Amino acid sequence: MNADFKKTNYHTHSTFCDGNATVEEMVLAAIQKKFDIIGFSSHSMFPFGGDCHIAPREHESYVKEVRRVAELYKNKIEVYCGFEADYVPCLCMPSFEQYASLKPDYIIGSVHYVLGDKGYFEADGSPASKVLAGIRNYFNGDEKKAVQTYFAEQREMLSHGDFTFWGHPDLIRKQNGKRALFDEQSLWYKRELKATAKAAARAGICAEINTGGMARGYLDSPYPSAEFLEILHKYNVPVTINSDAHTPENLDYWFEEAVQYAKKAGYTELMFYSAGSLQSQKI
């Protein structure tokens, strides 16, 4: 990496959602780990909310706290305020228009909920028995259809949303961590990856290389998989590296290795957000 390379992370959770440390504690850890930029991205379904999301009434308090800490440590680190905004069909869409009253610096668009007939399961849900029960109840036990629906939702979000970063592009792969839910080498799955990469390219969105599943012991490689990352590179989809950190110690989990992971896929640049825009830097 070049000498001016900026160490950044925009996928950071705190006690405002399901994180284990306060905003200020995460910033202090980032300073200690020599980050140049940290961005906060609490889970949100604004104006709705679930168990892991910021409560609707707490959104303004969250923004106020991130802005307070940003001002307090502005001479040591850049601090930005964002949201990890869920896409749920017919309910909520990650878009700057939806969050206009809160004036976020950036938004991460993510799909966690996979909707079937009369219900849903969580793409990163646990335990496995709960996920399998959801597929059995809402997809008639059709695991292929469930995975295809997950990627269809991703493409809907990419096509109709308005956001900065694309969160964990193949989160459903978490279900292959401890036991195989589906075959990642099957032709139908590869077609889903290609179609989704094309949608990301049309949207002009920046995908994240997300090391959170590794940090929490679910997987031994990041989101997206090496194969998916190569496909994203083929379609000129830019990337950044994020940790999806819920604890201070995981803020830069596997970051140096992730740079090499990106290089191996063909990337020579990574994106970062600063002063109101996405910018690129050589690796």
Side-chain angles (χ1 to χ4, degrees), residues 259-282:
V259 172
Q260 300 307 313
Y261 189 73
K263 283 184 174 181
K264 188 174 181 181
Y267 286 94
T268 59
E269 294 181 337
L270 292 174
M271 305 302 291
F272 69 97
Y273 174 93
S274 181
S277 66
L278 279 176
Q279 305 170 48
S280 63
Q281 58 182 339
K282 296 288 186 182

Short mmCIF file of all heavy atoms in Angstrom, two decimals, residues 259-282:
data_model
loop_
_atom_site.label_atom_id
_atom_site.label_comp_id
_atom_site.label_asym_id
_atom_site.label_seq_id
_atom_site.Cartn_x
_atom_site.Cartn_y
_atom_site.Cartn_z
N VAL A 259 -6.97 -6.43 2.12
CA VAL A 259 -6.36 -5.68 1.02
C VAL A 259 -5.79 -6.66 0.00
O VAL A 259 -5.97 -6.50 -1.22
CB VAL A 259 -5.26 -4.74 1.54
CG1 VAL A 259 -4.48 -4.11 0.38
CG2 VAL A 259 -5.87 -3.65 2.42
N GLN A 260 -5.11 -7.69 0.47
CA GLN A 260 -4.55 -8.70 -0.44
C GLN A 260 -5.67 -9.49 -1.12
O GLN A 260 -5.55 -9.88 -2.29
CB GLN A 260 -3.63 -9.65 0.34
CG GLN A 260 -2.45 -8.96 1.01
CD GLN A 260 -1.66 -8.10 0.04
OE1 GLN A 260 -1.32 -8.53 -1.08
NE2 GLN A 260 -1.35 -6.87 0.46
N TYR A 261 -6.75 -9.71 -0.41
CA TYR A 261 -7.94 -10.39 -0.95
C TYR A 261 -8.48 -9.60 -2.14
O TYR A 261 -8.83 -10.18 -3.19
CB TYR A 261 -8.96 -10.48 0.17
CG TYR A 261 -10.19 -11.32 -0.06
CD1 TYR A 261 -10.14 -12.72 -0.08
CD2 TYR A 261 -11.45 -10.72 -0.19
CE1 TYR A 261 -11.29 -13.48 -0.24
CE2 TYR A 261 -12.60 -11.47 -0.33
CZ TYR A 261 -12.52 -12.85 -0.36
OH TYR A 261 -13.66 -13.60 -0.51
N ALA A 262 -8.55 -8.27 -1.98
CA ALA A 262 -9.02 -7.41 -3.07
C ALA A 262 -8.05 -7.44 -4.25
O ALA A 262 -8.46 -7.51 -5.41
CB ALA A 262 -9.20 -5.98 -2.56
N LYS A 263 -6.77 -7.38 -3.94
CA LYS A 263 -5.76 -7.42 -5.00
C LYS A 263 -5.84 -8.71 -5.80
O LYS A 263 -5.74 -8.71 -7.04
CB LYS A 263 -4.36 -7.27 -4.40
CG LYS A 263 -3.98 -5.86 -3.98
CD LYS A 263 -2.54 -5.83 -3.49
CE LYS A 263 -2.08 -4.43 -3.19
NZ LYS A 263 -0.66 -4.40 -2.74
N LYS A 264 -6.03 -9.82 -5.10
CA LYS A 264 -6.09 -11.11 -5.77
C LYS A 264 -7.27 -11.17 -6.75
O LYS A 264 -7.20 -11.85 -7.78
CB LYS A 264 -6.20 -12.23 -4.74
CG LYS A 264 -6.07 -13.63 -5.34
CD LYS A 264 -6.03 -14.69 -4.25
CE LYS A 264 -5.88 -16.09 -4.86
NZ LYS A 264 -5.86 -17.14 -3.81
N ALA A 265 -8.35 -10.46 -6.42
CA ALA A 265 -9.52 -10.43 -7.30
C ALA A 265 -9.31 -9.49 -8.49
O ALA A 265 -10.14 -9.47 -9.40
CB ALA A 265 -10.75 -10.00 -6.51
N GLY A 266 -8.23 -8.72 -8.46
CA GLY A 266 -7.93 -7.82 -9.57
C GLY A 266 -8.00 -6.35 -9.26
O GLY A 266 -7.69 -5.50 -10.12
N TYR A 267 -8.41 -6.00 -8.04
CA TYR A 267 -8.55 -4.59 -7.70
C TYR A 267 -7.20 -3.92 -7.45
O TYR A 267 -6.29 -4.53 -6.87
CB TYR A 267 -9.42 -4.43 -6.45
CG TYR A 267 -10.90 -4.65 -6.71
CD1 TYR A 267 -11.47 -5.92 -6.51
CD2 TYR A 267 -11.72 -3.63 -7.16
CE1 TYR A 267 -12.81 -6.14 -6.76
CE2 TYR A 267 -13.07 -3.84 -7.41
CZ TYR A 267 -13.61 -5.09 -7.21
OH TYR A 267 -14.94 -5.30 -7.46
N THR A 268 -7.09 -2.69 -7.89
CA THR A 268 -5.88 -1.88 -7.64
C THR A 268 -6.22 -0.64 -6.81
O THR A 268 -5.32 0.11 -6.42
CB THR A 268 -5.23 -1.44 -8.96
OG1 THR A 268 -6.18 -0.67 -9.72
CG2 THR A 268 -4.78 -2.65 -9.77
N GLU A 269 -7.52 -0.42 -6.56
CA GLU A 269 -7.97 0.74 -5.79
C GLU A 269 -9.08 0.32 -4.82
O GLU A 269 -9.82 -0.62 -5.08
CB GLU A 269 -8.52 1.84 -6.70
CG GLU A 269 -7.49 2.47 -7.62
CD GLU A 269 -8.12 3.57 -8.48
OE1 GLU A 269 -9.36 3.55 -8.68
OE2 GLU A 269 -7.36 4.44 -8.94
N LEU A 270 -9.16 1.04 -3.72
CA LEU A 270 -10.26 0.91 -2.79
C LEU A 270 -10.92 2.28 -2.64
O LEU A 270 -10.27 3.32 -2.80
CB LEU A 270 -9.77 0.43 -1.42
CG LEU A 270 -9.23 -1.00 -1.34
CD1 LEU A 270 -8.65 -1.26 0.05
CD2 LEU A 270 -10.31 -2.01 -1.65
N MET A 271 -12.20 2.28 -2.31
CA MET A 271 -12.93 3.52 -2.13
C MET A 271 -12.99 3.92 -0.66
O MET A 271 -12.95 3.08 0.23
CB MET A 271 -14.36 3.37 -2.67
CG MET A 271 -14.45 2.91 -4.12
SD MET A 271 -13.59 3.98 -5.28
CE MET A 271 -14.65 5.45 -5.20
N PHE A 272 -13.08 5.23 -0.43
CA PHE A 272 -13.31 5.72 0.92
C PHE A 272 -14.18 6.97 0.84
O PHE A 272 -14.19 7.68 -0.17
CB PHE A 272 -12.01 6.00 1.67
CG PHE A 272 -11.21 7.17 1.15
CD1 PHE A 272 -11.31 8.42 1.75
CD2 PHE A 272 -10.34 7.02 0.08
CE1 PHE A 272 -10.58 9.51 1.28
CE2 PHE A 272 -9.59 8.09 -0.40
CZ PHE A 272 -9.71 9.35 0.20
N TYR A 273 -14.94 7.22 1.91
CA TYR A 273 -15.81 8.37 1.97
C TYR A 273 -15.16 9.43 2.85
O TYR A 273 -14.71 9.13 3.96
CB TYR A 273 -17.17 8.00 2.56
CG TYR A 273 -18.09 9.18 2.79
CD1 TYR A 273 -19.01 9.58 1.82
CD2 TYR A 273 -18.00 9.92 3.97
CE1 TYR A 273 -19.83 10.67 2.03
CE2 TYR A 273 -18.82 11.02 4.18
CZ TYR A 273 -19.73 11.40 3.21
OH TYR A 273 -20.52 12.49 3.41
N SER A 274 -15.11 10.67 2.34
CA SER A 274 -14.57 11.78 3.12
C SER A 274 -15.09 13.08 2.54
O SER A 274 -15.21 13.22 1.31
CB SER A 274 -13.03 11.77 3.10
OG SER A 274 -12.50 12.84 3.87
N ALA A 275 -15.39 14.02 3.41
CA ALA A 275 -15.79 15.37 3.01
C ALA A 275 -16.92 15.38 1.97
O ALA A 275 -16.90 16.14 1.01
CB ALA A 275 -14.58 16.13 2.48
N GLY A 276 -17.88 14.46 2.15
CA GLY A 276 -19.07 14.50 1.34
C GLY A 276 -19.06 13.70 0.06
O GLY A 276 -20.04 13.75 -0.70
N SER A 277 -18.00 12.95 -0.21
CA SER A 277 -17.97 12.20 -1.47
C SER A 277 -17.12 10.94 -1.35
O SER A 277 -16.26 10.83 -0.46
CB SER A 277 -17.41 13.08 -2.60
OG SER A 277 -16.05 13.39 -2.36
N LEU A 278 -17.39 10.00 -2.26
CA LEU A 278 -16.56 8.81 -2.38
C LEU A 278 -15.31 9.15 -3.18
O LEU A 278 -15.38 9.81 -4.22
CB LEU A 278 -17.33 7.68 -3.06
CG LEU A 278 -18.29 6.87 -2.19
CD1 LEU A 278 -19.03 5.86 -3.07
CD2 LEU A 278 -17.55 6.15 -1.07
N GLN A 279 -14.18 8.64 -2.72
CA GLN A 279 -12.91 8.86 -3.39
C GLN A 279 -12.17 7.54 -3.47
O GLN A 279 -12.48 6.59 -2.75
CB GLN A 279 -12.08 9.89 -2.63
CG GLN A 279 -12.80 11.22 -2.41
CD GLN A 279 -12.06 12.15 -1.47
OE1 GLN A 279 -10.86 12.36 -1.61
NE2 GLN A 279 -12.78 12.71 -0.50
N SER A 280 -11.18 7.45 -4.35
CA SER A 280 -10.43 6.21 -4.50
C SER A 280 -9.01 6.39 -4.03
O SER A 280 -8.46 7.50 -4.02
CB SER A 280 -10.43 5.77 -5.97
OG SER A 280 -9.78 6.73 -6.78
N GLN A 281 -8.40 5.28 -3.63
CA GLN A 281 -6.99 5.28 -3.25
C GLN A 281 -6.34 4.01 -3.72
O GLN A 281 -6.93 2.93 -3.73
CB GLN A 281 -6.82 5.45 -1.74
CG GLN A 281 -7.50 4.42 -0.87
CD GLN A 281 -7.32 4.69 0.61
OE1 GLN A 281 -6.40 5.39 1.01
NE2 GLN A 281 -8.18 4.12 1.44
N LYS A 282 -5.09 4.12 -4.15
CA LYS A 282 -4.34 2.99 -4.66
C LYS A 282 -3.98 2.03 -3.53
O LYS A 282 -3.76 2.44 -2.40
CB LYS A 282 -3.05 3.46 -5.35
CG LYS A 282 -3.26 4.33 -6.58
CD LYS A 282 -3.77 3.50 -7.75
CE LYS A 282 -3.84 4.36 -9.02
NZ LYS A 282 -4.38 3.56 -10.18
#
